[in-house]
Amino acid sequence: MLSKETISIIKSTVPVLEVHGTKITTRFYQLLFERHPELLNIFNHANQKQGRQQTALANSVYAAAVHIDRLEAILPVVKQIGHKHRSLGVKAEHYPIVGETLLEAMKEVLGDAATDEILGAWGEAYGVIADAFIGVEKEMYEEAESQVGGWADFREFVIAKKVVESDVITSFYLQPFDGGEIATYQAGQYVTVRVQPEGLEHTHLRQYSLSDASGNDYYRISVKHENDGVVSPYLHEKMEEGDKLELSAPAGDFVLDTTSEKPVVLLSGGVGVTPMMSMLNTIVREQPARKVTFIHAAQNGSVQAFGEHVEEVAETHKNVNNYVCLAEPTKEDVARGKYDLQGLIELGWLRCALADAGDDADYYFCGPVPFMKAIKQYLAELGVSDERVHYEFFGPAASLDAAETESFSR
């Protein structure tokens, strides 16, 4: 427990963190990698270059300061980050390194404003928060290893099949190299892939949603080729059937509630369709009578993945309604006529599409941040309560509205 004095000091730094938070976290990462370059084997280099990780950490520190007098309020975020850390291999011994470096970055950026009293209070607070993370992650490591088909850290898998789903998305069917069982997972979870492309000094880790229902003898990930990326081009262009990949056990808290029979609305943009495929296939397999509204937005048909599969599901399951939105349909798309909206999703169209979804439906959505911001705003305007809205970011979290302060997500 933190003393009232410590809490008061931490609270007093909130305005400073709001202004200088990103400067502090940017300097933090510079110091961290200068002194511990081995940690570059864990962190996403692309997110570092884009500044997304720095912003996400700044939001985390800010949220900790705001809620320092009721840390239980950030427990869901602790668990969310814990999933990420466990999947990446973050261990208890990393926390003292992070704490020491973060305090030093605060001192450098804030100068004389970072008094010994303030640094002492933050050091004490960091210790309490770190202990919470370590405890949560210890349980997650134990659960990942002890479950049937589970394992610790990373395990070798073989690419059993490689399937092109669209011009930009390819699926990889992965089976364990040792021939053993694999852990089950909840629809919406992800695995971490670890690779070291030839010529690069460090390993690179990426999280990819599992894009099929659990219960098969394989894991399926469906990866978008990012032209300026490192891992996705390597997977698309260099990895073939029979090659090996290292995976950590499934993780993540963006999951379908299969204990509920309430109607479900699955909304996705671009490669955000991947966790929705796992959810849709799980419902069809385990809850065939459950009502589903499936809405997917893509630039055009050539980059749309899984369109034929979802169409087939909707044709064979009358409880599934399928809507396709193409921002700029090609001539071939127009000729086929396999879409319901030309252009971007807007409120009026969404209201009509959701007319039969049910007043108590749960909503799950994923995709590019602008897409997610629009969907969240529309759902709020349609009167959908926050407890029925679930979403996930690919990469460090951004804020979907000005009132939110979020932390890391996949």
Side-chain angles (χ1 to χ4, degrees):
M1 296 295 292
L2 297 172
S3 68
K4 290 183 178 179
E5 181 181 6
T6 297
I7 290 173
S8 177
I9 294 171
I10 296 295
K11 285 279 191 181
S12 73
T13 65
V14 168
V16 176
L17 294 174
E18 191 170 14
V19 175
H20 298 289
T22 303
K23 290 182 182 178
I24 292 170
T25 55
T26 298
R27 182 56 181 153
F28 158 77
Y29 281 116
Q30 290 170 348
L31 292 170
L32 185 69
F33 297 140
E34 285 172 6
R35 295 171 184 177
H36 300 278
E38 72 279 3
L39 294 180
L40 286 167
N41 290 308
I42 295 177
F43 284 84
N44 186 315
H45 301 199
N47 290 335
Q48 289 290 321
K49 290 179 181 177
Q50 296 166 6
R52 298 179 67 190
Q53 201 76 64
Q54 294 88 331
T55 300
L57 179 56
N59 288 342
S60 297
V61 174
Y62 179 82
V66 169
H67 299 292
I68 196 67
D69 54 342
R70 48 189 186 92
L71 288 176
E72 67 278 2
I74 65 172
L75 186 58
V77 176
V78 171
K79 290 183 176 179
Q80 182 186 68
I81 299 173
H83 277 284
K84 177 120 178 164
H85 285 179
R86 198 278 296 159
S87 75
L88 294 172
V90 174
K91 299 296 177 63
E93 56 264 29
H94 294 135
Y95 281 91
I97 296 171
V98 169
E100 178 183 342
T101 309
L102 185 59
L103 291 178
E104 185 171 344
M106 282 185 178
K107 179 63 177 175
E108 282 195 24
V109 172
L110 300 180
D112 293 341
T115 64
D116 291 343
E117 185 180 46
I118 287 176
L119 293 176
W122 264 106
E124 183 182 349
Y126 176 83
V128 171
I129 295 169
D131 285 345
F133 274 101
I134 291 169
V136 166
E137 289 162 18
K138 181 175 183 291
E139 293 180 2
M140 290 179 175
Y141 275 107
E142 291 173 351
E143 181 181 357
E145 185 174 7
S146 63
Q147 64 183 308
V148 175
W151 67 94
D153 299 318
F154 287 83
R155 181 179 177 186
E156 286 191 328
F157 279 69
V158 175
I159 300 174
K161 186 166 59 170
K162 186 176 175 182
V163 178
V164 174
E165 307 288 1
S166 77
D167 285 358
V168 295
I169 296 175
T170 293
S171 287
F172 298 82
Y173 290 72
L174 309 172
Q175 294 181 315
F177 179 69
D178 60 21
E181 292 185 87
I182 54 174
T184 58
Y185 56 89
Q186 298 181 74
Q189 289 192 304
Y190 56 86
V191 291
T192 295
V193 172
R194 182 168 69 181
V195 298
Q196 186 167 5
E198 186 177 351
L200 296 184
E201 180 180 359
H202 301 285
T203 58
H204 288 254
L205 284 69
R206 295 291 186 276
Q207 286 80 33
Y208 293 112
S209 295
L210 291 154
S211 62
D212 202 352
S214 183
N216 300 302
D217 64 351
Y218 60 81
Y219 292 144
R220 185 178 75 179
I221 60 173
S222 303
V223 180
K224 180 184 177 184
H225 188 298
E226 301 286 358
N227 292 328
D228 58 349
V230 173
V231 177
S232 67
Y234 179 73
L235 294 176
H236 276 251
E237 299 166 14
K238 302 297 183 181
M239 302 299 289
E240 301 296 342
E241 294 178 1
D243 290 342
K244 290 189 290 186
L245 285 174
E246 290 185 306
L247 267 64
S248 64
D253 63 348
F254 174 66
V255 296
L256 175 71
D257 181 5
T258 54
T259 66
S260 171
E261 291 288 344
K262 291 194 299 182
V264 176
V265 178
L266 305 177
L267 299 114
S268 58
V271 74
V273 72
T274 52
M276 303 308 164
M277 292 309 304
S278 180
M279 293 182 184
L280 177 65
N281 289 351
T282 297
I283 292 171
V284 168
R285 178 184 293 182
E286 299 179 9
Q287 300 175 298
R290 192 172 185 182
K291 190 172 184 179
V292 181
T293 302
F294 192 97
I295 302 174
H296 179 60
Q299 189 69 17
N300 55 56
S302 66
V303 297
Q304 177 195 0
F306 304 111
E308 291 183 2
H309 173 77
V310 178
E311 185 179 340
E312 182 180 337
V313 169
E315 288 176 353
T316 56
H317 296 77
K318 298 307 180 185
N319 56 307
V320 177
N321 291 323
N322 177 35
Y323 297 94
V324 176
C325 310
L326 300 181
E328 297 179 352
T330 64
K331 291 180 180 179
E332 290 78 9
D333 294 328
V334 174
R336 292 177 68 246
K338 299 278 188 170
Y339 58 94
D340 303 278
L341 172 68
Q342 177 175 341
L344 302 179
I345 294 175
E346 48 85 30
L347 180 60
W349 182 88
L350 186 62
R351 179 185 284 111
C352 293
L354 298 177
D356 296 326
D359 294 336
D360 61 342
D362 282 324
Y363 292 77
Y364 297 82
F365 62 93
C366 187
V369 172
F371 168 85
M372 294 174 66
K373 284 184 176 181
I375 295 299
K376 189 171 188 295
Q377 178 183 331
Y378 294 158
L379 294 181
E381 292 183 33
L382 292 173
V384 180
S385 59
D386 288 344
E387 60 267 21
R388 292 193 287 130
V389 174
H390 315 274
Y391 55 89
E392 180 173 59
F393 293 92
F394 285 173
S399 177
L400 292 189
D401 59 53
E404 287 184 329
T405 300
E406 301 228 28
S407 188
F408 298 111
S409 183
R410 193 184 54 78

